[in-house]
Amino acid sequence: MTTAREIPNTQQGTDTWLAARKTGVTSTDVAALLGVSPYRTPLDVWLAKQDDTPPIPETDAMWAGRRHEPTVMAWYA
């Protein structure tokens, strides 16, 4: 059975939030797991879920996506 869960009372980008993301598959992982991401592979996802791997350094595109996410979400809604 598949379930969705939220990480309550956790600020995005904090160490607690990052640790919680390592405990399951997130929406960010899906394209890589399906083999349709040009940026990540299923192996990349598996490696990122290991306890001893550091987070991926933020790129300009990642920063822009985070910065504009609220605007895009409001527009889409």
Side-chain angles (χ1 to χ4, degrees), residues 13-56:
T14 63
D15 289 340
T16 302
W17 180 80
L18 291 169
R21 287 177 54 87
K22 285 189 172 193
T23 65
V25 174
T26 66
S27 59
T28 306
D29 302 326
V30 173
L33 293 173
L34 293 175
V36 296
S37 172
Y39 308 107
R40 298 173 70 207
T41 67
L43 178 59
D44 293 326
V45 173
W46 181 80
L47 289 171
K49 300 298 179 181
Q50 304 308 303
D51 287 336
D52 57 349
T53 55
I56 299 169

Side-chain angles (χ1 to χ4, degrees), residues 55-73:
I56 299 169
E58 184 174 64
T59 65
D60 290 343
M62 292 164 71
W63 176 87
R66 265 197 8 270
R67 170 74 172 86
H68 298 292
E69 184 177 18
T71 303
V72 172
M73 288 174 54

